[in-house]
Amino acid sequence: MSPQPPAANNTTKTSGPALYHNVQTYIKELEISEGQLSSVLKNVYENNQREEFMKRLDDRVKQYDVEIEKLCSKNYQDFVKTFNDLLSVREDTSVLKNQLVENNEKIQALGNSLITKVDQLVLENRKQNNILLSVETLNRYMPVFNIYRQLKNQMKEKKNYYQALKLLEELENNYLPMVKNYRFAQSIHHSLPLIKHDIINETFSDLKDFLETLRVEAVKCGKIANQQMAHKLKIDKKYYLMESELEKIEDDSDLKKLPFDVVDFSPLYKNLHMNQVLGHKANFSDYYRNQRKKQLQLAMNSNSNMEMNESKTERDLLDAYKLYLHNITGFFVIEDQILSSTEGLVDERYMDELFSKALPRLKSIIRKIMEECSNAELMLKLKIIVVLFCITIEEVQFPTIQLSDLLREIREKYYSMLLDKSSEKINLILTEDNYTCMEIDSQEAYNLLMEFFPLDSKETKGESSDEFFRRLPYSGCVPKIFLEIKEFVNNCVKFSEGLNSSQTELDDMIRKPTNRLITERLSENIRQLINRVSLTQLVQIVVNTIYLEKSIDLLEKHLLSVIKANSSKQSGKLQGISVFKDLRSEAETQIYELLNRKIDQLIDLESFNWNMTEAQGQASEYMKLLLNFLKSNLDSFSHLPSKLAQTACVSACRHVAQSLMSQMISPKVKSINYGAIEQLNLDLLQCETFAHSIRVDGLDNETILFCFADVRQIIDLAISKEWSIYLNDYGEANNKYNRVQLNNAQILLEKLRQGASRGKGILSRLDIGTKTPEKDDLKLIEAALKQIKNLINQTANF
């Protein structure tokens, strides 16, 4: 740090030796370049040493001048010698320069020649590359010319326009975009619309030919469709074959192919695709639809052979009638196939329009023929032909036409009236029934019952041989319902009398309304009854459904007998078996629910004293009432199917056990004393005694006893206090308490701890410092509870 300048009135001069020493120091700093000029000058002026500094600086300059002169005089001779050497080298340098200039000129000349040759080589390479590029371009675009040439040849030959369109589409979409910048591509592009127009004209020409084919083949197509449906329904061939064909052997090959296989649709598909590609699909579709509408209008007009007069025989009338309906059937079968196999040519709206136009005309013609027909046999034949036509039309996904309503309207109304009447009678029978086993005390009454309801049953006979007595497992409504359904079948058969219907049709006519009576009316009446009767009545309803199910076979035999058919010719089965099984299942479920509901009412554990100090010494009153109730009801299940009785018994016992367990771990119960556990043990012993004593066919007592296994183990664990054994063996197969869940054990211990804590508070005031069993129990509970919580946490982490 530089010294501060002295004040003006205190300035003093430094002594001689010190002044000389300071100035010399400043000069040395400048010489060695370690000091800064500014700092040196600052110090000089601050110390008032400027004159002395300048004087010493001049002396030093003069000293250096003397030294420079001495140095120059000493090295002068060496400088002269060196200069002479440079003069001698100058001449050699001049020669070398000339040689370099000469060599440079030669190199420049050679470089110019090389550049010329390189330029020529580059030019030749460029020409070669252009040639290769031209060849490559021609090879790349040659397919354009080839395809265009093939397209022109296809159009000139006028054979395969579909292939020509594929070439045109490929040329327009794939190749022309590659050469769009060339003039020849523009020429090709301008010629394409003319080619497209020619293709469109040819497609419409092909469509006209195809439409004519459809008109001709419609009759054959409809005949095959009716033939296949007739074989399916087992209708005689005279209702679809011409009279002249009946004597011939029927060609079964038509049964193995689809009706529309007689028509080759490939021309239509190809022409439709071509118009779609060319953007004329809408025009093509409109033309097709208009032409088909005209063809339908022509087909709907009846011919003179269908008019009934004295000159026309029945054979001529039936042939004309069948031919007319074959043509209509074939028309709609073909249209349905076109609808399902094409997209956009026809649609559902178009089909509905066709059908709405055809329906009034068909109804008019058929109604006129039926009204004019005076021959019952002929009318039946005409009716079957109409039915066959209606079913065939329905088979090709058309809505149900009103033609069938002419024949079914009256019949359906008649059946509906029968259903309502029978339903009311059945409902009255079910309402008035006493739902107790049917008892018969005379041989005459028993024989009469077996005559109209010959169903095998497990009947109970009287003890005395002198007195006639029979107790049947079902109640009185079962034979009454059977007789009502039988009467319903007879009334349905009356409607079909004299119609000369086929066995299949007659069977279907009787079976359908009978199935409706069973599956809709009877099942609904029984279902409503199930929801409002008592437990005892439910048990009887289950038995009744068993015998109603068995009576279906009797009804089936009666139905076959009245239509004079055997089981091999029937079209189906009465659907009562599955219905009664479902009803029985609902009744069984209701039995289980009523049992459990009654058990819940009898198990009054909410008023149970969980803090009792000692057990009562016997089972609780609620348990006695509950087990008496179960015993009386399970005894009434003796005539039920063994599976139902078994399920009801196991379900009831399991529900009792679950109720005991759920009440024991319920959050509503805050504390439990060991006295309450002892009382629950007595109640559970009563349940186990009941499980040993009950007798259910097919169910061993060990299975019933197993229902109480969970609650038994947790009560035994609480009484024995073997918590260490339970925890040490937890998860092992041989664990004595393997059915006790950790969560339930934790909840029970917490309740026992709460109960023990209350007792401890009282005892602590009576015996302070005295060791009591209650204290030991509390310690044991605390230790076990701690281990269980740790085990639960370990299980959760794992």
Side-chain angles (χ1 to χ4, degrees):
M1 183 175 178
S2 302
Q4 296 295 330
N9 53 359
N10 296 326
T11 303
T12 60
K13 293 186 178 180
T14 309
S15 60
L19 177 63
Y20 175 80
H21 177 73
N22 289 339
V23 172
Q24 286 297 110
T25 301
Y26 295 152
I27 292 174
K28 286 181 180 181
E29 288 181 4
L30 293 176
E31 287 177 348
I32 65 177
S33 300
E34 291 182 357
Q36 295 294 329
L37 179 60
S38 60
S39 62
V40 172
L41 292 177
K42 180 180 178 183
N43 292 330
V44 169
Y45 277 93
E46 287 178 352
N47 296 322
N48 293 325
Q49 298 173 346
R50 185 179 64 82
E51 293 179 359
E52 185 65 23
F53 177 77
M54 294 300 296
K55 180 180 178 181
R56 297 299 179 187
L57 185 63
D58 289 340
D59 292 342
R60 180 58 61 89
V61 170
K62 291 176 181 180
Q63 182 181 350
Y64 278 117
D65 288 342
V66 172
E67 291 178 359
I68 291 171
E69 288 178 0
K70 290 179 180 181
L71 183 62
C72 289
S73 62
K74 180 180 179 181
N75 297 323
Y76 179 73
Q77 293 300 327
D78 293 335
F79 173 74
V80 171
K81 183 180 178 180
T82 302
F83 187 75
N84 290 332
D85 291 340
L86 287 174
L87 290 177
S88 64
V89 174
R90 179 181 180 184
E91 184 177 355
D92 295 336
T93 302
S94 178
V95 174
L96 181 60
K97 177 181 179 182
N98 293 332
Q99 291 178 354
L100 287 174
V101 171
E102 183 179 356
N103 290 335
N104 180 56
E105 291 176 353
K106 291 180 180 180
I107 291 173
Q108 291 294 331
L110 292 174
N112 291 332
S113 176
L114 180 61
I115 290 173
T116 302
K117 291 181 179 180
V118 169
D119 291 340
Q120 292 177 354
L121 180 60
V122 170
L123 181 60
E124 293 300 324
N125 284 335
R126 187 176 298 165
K127 291 180 180 178
Q128 184 178 4
N129 290 335
N130 289 338
I131 292 172
L132 292 176
L133 182 60
S134 299
V135 172
E136 183 182 354
T137 303
L138 288 175
N139 290 333
R140 186 188 307 165
Y141 298 147
M142 187 58 68
V144 178
F145 299 106
N146 291 335
I147 292 177
Y148 185 69
R149 177 177 53 81
Q150 295 177 19
L151 176 61
K152 297 294 287 185
N153 291 336
Q154 290 285 352
M155 296 301 298
K156 189 180 295 183
E157 292 176 1
K158 297 184 178 181
K159 290 182 178 180
N160 193 345
Y161 286 96
Y162 184 73
Q163 184 64 30
L165 179 62
K166 292 178 64 177
L167 293 173
L168 186 147
E169 187 178 10
E170 184 178 4
L171 177 64
E172 189 174 23
N173 295 333
N174 299 334
Y175 290 98
L176 281 184
M178 299 166 52
V179 296
K180 62 181 179 180
N181 295 326
Y182 297 93
R183 287 193 297 272
F184 72 86
Q186 297 178 3
S187 177
I188 294 175
H189 183 73
H190 292 322
S191 66
L192 295 183
L194 298 177
I195 297 176
K196 291 180 180 180
H197 185 265
D198 292 340
I199 293 176
I200 291 173
N201 290 337
E202 289 299 326
T203 60
F204 275 82
S205 177
D206 289 347
L207 178 59
K208 293 178 182 178
D209 296 337
F210 178 75
L211 289 171
E212 180 61 22
T213 301
L214 293 185
R215 187 188 67 80
V216 174
E217 298 294 341
V219 174
K220 186 176 181 180
C221 178
K223 177 184 174 183
I224 295 175
N226 287 323
Q227 179 184 7
Q228 292 178 353
M229 182 56 63
H231 274 263
K232 183 178 179 181
L233 301 176
K234 294 181 172 37
I235 296 178
D236 193 271
K237 63 181 180 179
K238 65 183 179 180
Y239 295 109
Y240 58 85
L241 291 179
M242 302 296 108
E243 293 294 328
S244 59
E245 299 173 339
L246 293 176
E247 298 177 359
K248 301 178 182 179
I249 299 177
E250 187 176 2
D251 187 6
D252 293 337
S253 62
D254 290 340
L255 300 174
K256 301 177 182 179
K257 60 184 179 182
L258 297 173
F260 47 79
D261 286 345
V262 298
V263 179
D264 180 14
F265 292 95
S266 58
L268 176 66
Y269 299 151
K270 290 181 180 179
N271 291 325
L272 177 62
H273 175 69
M274 287 190 284
N275 279 271
Q276 182 177 3
V277 172
L278 297 173
H280 283 260
K281 182 179 178 180
N283 295 336
F284 185 85
S285 177
D286 291 341
Y287 181 80
Y288 174 84
R289 296 183 184 188
N290 292 331
Q291 293 300 315
R292 288 296 281 169
K293 289 177 183 178
K294 293 179 181 179
Q295 288 186 355
L296 177 61
Q297 186 175 0
L298 292 175
M300 294 304 302
N301 294 328
S302 61
N303 54 58
S304 57
N305 291 331
M306 295 175 62
E307 297 178 1
M308 301 186 68
N309 51 55
E310 296 179 358
S311 61
K312 298 293 188 302
T313 63
E314 178 180 318
R315 176 176 177 176
D316 295 334
L317 179 63
L318 290 175
D319 283 349
Y321 196 53
K322 286 181 279 190
L323 186 65
Y324 174 78
L325 293 180
H326 286 342
N327 193 15
I328 303 301
T329 303
F331 179 91
F332 285 107
V333 168
I334 290 173
E335 290 304 294
D336 181 72
Q337 170 61 16
I338 292 175
L339 174 64
S340 61
S341 61
T342 61
E343 184 177 355
L345 182 62
V346 296
D347 52 24
E348 295 288 349
R349 186 176 180 181
Y350 160 78
M351 300 299 288
D352 292 339
E353 183 181 355
L354 289 181
F355 197 73
S356 62
K357 289 183 177 180
L359 184 58
R361 183 61 178 164
L362 275 172
K363 289 175 62 178
S364 176
I365 292 174
I366 294 175
R367 183 175 285 109
K368 179 180 178 182
I369 294 174
M370 290 294 186
E371 290 175 353
E372 294 177 354
C373 180
S374 58
N375 188 318
E377 185 179 355
L378 177 60
M379 180 176 288
L380 289 175
K381 293 179 181 179
L382 293 175
K383 176 256 181 183
I384 295 174
I385 294 173
V386 173
V387 169
L388 179 61
F389 169 76
C390 294
I391 297 176
T392 305
I393 288 296
E394 291 176 352
E395 191 72 13
V396 294
Q397 306 304 321
F398 282 94
T400 304
I401 59 175
Q402 300 176 19
L403 296 174
S404 57
D405 295 340
L406 296 174
L407 304 173
R408 292 190 308 222
E409 209 171 66
I410 300 175
R411 186 187 69 196
E412 291 300 324
K413 186 176 180 180
Y414 176 78
Y415 287 163
S416 178
M417 293 173 61
L418 285 181
L419 283 170
D420 292 338
K421 184 178 179 180
S422 296
S423 179
E424 291 178 2
K425 289 183 178 180
I426 290 174
N427 187 38
L428 183 62
I429 292 171
L430 292 172
T431 303
E432 295 178 349
D433 193 61
N434 57 8
Y435 295 100
T436 57
C437 294
M438 192 173 180
E439 297 180 353
I440 302 176
D441 54 5
S442 68
Q443 183 69 50
E444 293 77 9
Y446 180 78
N447 294 339
L448 182 62
L449 176 63
M450 291 297 105
E451 181 180 351
F452 64 76
F453 190 55
L455 189 64
D456 294 335
S457 60
K458 297 179 180 179
E459 57 190 31
T460 303
K461 297 183 179 180
E463 298 179 357
S464 174
S465 58
D466 298 334
E467 182 181 357
F468 182 88
F469 177 79
R470 294 288 187 274
R471 178 183 288 113
L472 302 175
Y474 49 82
S475 65
C477 68
V478 173
K480 293 179 181 179
I481 291 175
F482 171 79
L483 288 177
E484 181 58 35
I485 298 176
K486 188 176 180 180
E487 182 65 22
F488 178 84
V489 171
N490 294 334
N491 290 331
C492 290
V493 172
K494 291 178 182 179
F495 180 80
S496 62
E497 290 178 356
L499 292 179
N500 197 23
S501 302
S502 65
Q503 291 289 347
T504 301
E505 185 182 11
L506 184 58
D507 180 86
D508 187 64
M509 289 171 60
I510 307 303
R511 196 175 300 278
K512 281 185 177 180
T514 306
N515 282 330
R516 285 188 60 191
L517 176 63
I518 297 173
T519 60
E520 296 178 9
R521 305 302 180 91
L522 175 59
S523 64
E524 183 60 27
N525 288 333
I526 296 178
R527 187 171 288 110
Q528 293 177 2
L529 184 68
I530 289 173
N531 296 324
R532 67 173 186 262
V533 296
S534 63
L535 180 61
T536 305
Q537 291 175 324
L538 271 176
V539 173
Q540 187 60 55
I541 288 175
V542 170
V543 177
N544 290 347
T545 57
I546 295 174
Y547 288 94
L548 285 173
E549 179 183 339
K550 292 180 179 181
S551 69
I552 294 297
D553 291 336
L554 298 178
L555 289 173
E556 189 74 43
K557 292 178 181 179
H558 175 70
L559 189 149
L560 294 175
S561 66
V562 294
I563 63 175
K564 298 179 176 58
N566 54 53
S567 58
S568 62
K569 293 184 179 181
Q570 66 186 92
S571 61
K573 289 283 188 181
L574 289 177
Q575 300 173 2
I577 295 178
S578 60
V579 172
F580 292 124
K581 285 183 178 179
D582 293 341
L583 290 171
R584 184 159 59 254
S585 177
E586 292 181 22
E588 291 171 0
T589 303
Q590 187 70 6
I591 288 175
Y592 305 149
E593 292 179 357
L594 289 178
L595 272 175
N596 293 340
R597 200 178 305 161
K598 187 64 176 178
I599 290 171
D600 292 337
Q601 293 175 1
L602 293 174
I603 295 182
D604 185 18
L605 289 179
E606 291 186 359
S607 60
F608 188 81
N609 184 10
W610 294 98
N611 294 315
M612 66 175 62
T613 56
E614 293 183 359
Q616 300 174 3
Q618 60 180 354
S620 301
E621 191 65 27
Y622 78 89
M623 185 59 68
K624 296 178 181 179
L625 294 175
L626 171 62
L627 296 180
N628 289 333
F629 165 76
L630 288 179
K631 187 176 186 310
S632 62
N633 280 278
L634 292 178
D635 288 342
S636 67
F637 292 172
S638 58
H639 57 289
L640 287 178
S642 58
K643 185 177 180 180
L644 172 57
Q646 295 167 14
T647 305
C649 180
V650 172
S651 175
C653 293
R654 187 181 291 115
H655 188 74
V656 172
Q658 290 173 352
S659 297
L660 293 175
M661 177 69 78
S662 61
Q663 287 292 335
M664 193 176 357
I665 63 175
S666 172
K668 296 180 180 179
V669 179
K670 302 301 181 181
S671 64
I672 299 177
N673 279 353
Y674 277 101
I677 296 295
E678 293 288 349
Q679 184 61 44
L680 281 180
N681 182 46
L682 293 175
D683 294 343
L684 184 58
L685 285 173
Q686 192 73 19
C687 292
E688 291 169 343
T689 303
F690 169 79
H692 279 294
S693 63
I694 195 69
R695 295 291 180 266
V696 178
D697 291 341
L699 184 64
D700 59 275
N701 296 104
E702 292 298 326
T703 302
I704 305 174
L705 190 63
F706 188 74
C707 298
F708 302 97
D710 291 359
V711 68
R712 164 50 64 197
Q713 286 192 9
I714 195 170
I715 289 178
D716 286 348
L717 178 59
I719 293 175
S720 65
K721 304 176 184 178
E722 295 177 339
W723 298 104
S724 59
I725 296 175
Y726 167 68
L727 293 171
N728 292 334
D729 295 342
Y730 182 77
E732 300 294 333
N734 58 349
N735 189 356
K736 182 179 179 181
Y737 304 103
N738 58 354
R739 301 187 66 82
V740 178
Q741 300 179 9
L742 283 176
N743 292 331
N744 291 342
Q746 179 186 359
I747 295 172
L748 180 58
L749 280 171
E750 289 174 348
K751 296 177 185 296
L752 290 172
R753 180 181 63 181
Q754 186 67 24
S757 298
R758 292 182 178 180
K760 178 184 175 183
I762 298 172
L763 293 172
S764 61
R765 293 193 296 270
L766 298 176
D767 298 313
I768 300 176
T770 303
K771 185 176 181 180
T772 63
E774 288 76 7
K775 292 182 180 180
D776 295 337
D777 290 344
L778 187 59
K779 290 181 180 180
L780 179 62
I781 292 172
E782 293 287 355
L785 190 58
K786 183 178 180 181
Q787 294 182 39
I788 287 178
K789 289 181 179 179
N790 292 334
L791 187 58
I792 290 175
N793 292 332
Q794 292 175 6
T795 305
N797 294 331
F798 179 77

